Structures are given as C-alpha cells and as structure tokens.
Amino acid sequence: MHTFLVVLLVLVSIGLIVCVLLQSGKSAGLSGAISGGAEQLFGKQKARGIDLVLHRITIVLSVLFFVLTIAVAFFA
C-alpha cells in the first residue's frame, strides 16, 4: 500500500509540475495590448480556454497531491 501511494504521489507530482509549467504567466497579456486589436480579440478567447482548463487541472492535481502526501505520512 505504501509503495503504491508513493508511486502515485510521484506521478501526480510530475503531472503537477508539467501543468504549472504549461500555463502562461500573468504578464503575458501585456504583450497582446501592444500588438493590436485583431490578435487580442480572436487569440484571447482560445488562450483563456486553454488557461482555464490548465488552471482547473492544476487545482485537482494540487488537492490530490496534498491528500496523497497526508496518506503517505499516515501509512509510513
């Protein structure tokens, strides 16, 4: 049981790291204001959708990470 939880914790940790690194930074929107209206109008919706999905995946993975960490500490 302990080995299974540790392996699952490592997989969730790697997934969380990848998900956080794929997200765009908060300052990424400032460059769109300089480039023009058309790119900002059409490109922003797609980026917001992808960022929203990544944000929700990050929340789920982080909650799972904390639950697994507590479970590993409890069973150790």
Side-chain angles (χ1 to χ4, degrees), residues 40-53:
Q40 188 176 13
L41 179 64
F42 297 114
K44 189 132 177 126
Q45 289 296 93
K46 184 176 180 183
R48 191 179 333 154
I50 293 170
D51 283 339
L52 182 63
V53 170

Side-chain angles (χ1 to χ4, degrees), residues 10 21 38-39 68 75:
V10 168
L21 289 177
E39 180 183 334
L68 284 173
F75 287 119

Side-chain angles (χ1 to χ4, degrees), residues 1 8 10 16 18-20 24 27 30 38 42-44 55 57-59 62 67 69-70 75:
M1 183 72 169
L8 193 60
V10 168
L16 185 61
V18 168
C19 190
V20 167
S24 61
S27 64
L30 294 176
F42 297 114
K44 189 132 177 126
H55 179 70
I57 291 173
T58 304
I59 291 172
S62 62
V67 169
T69 303
I70 292 170
F75 287 119

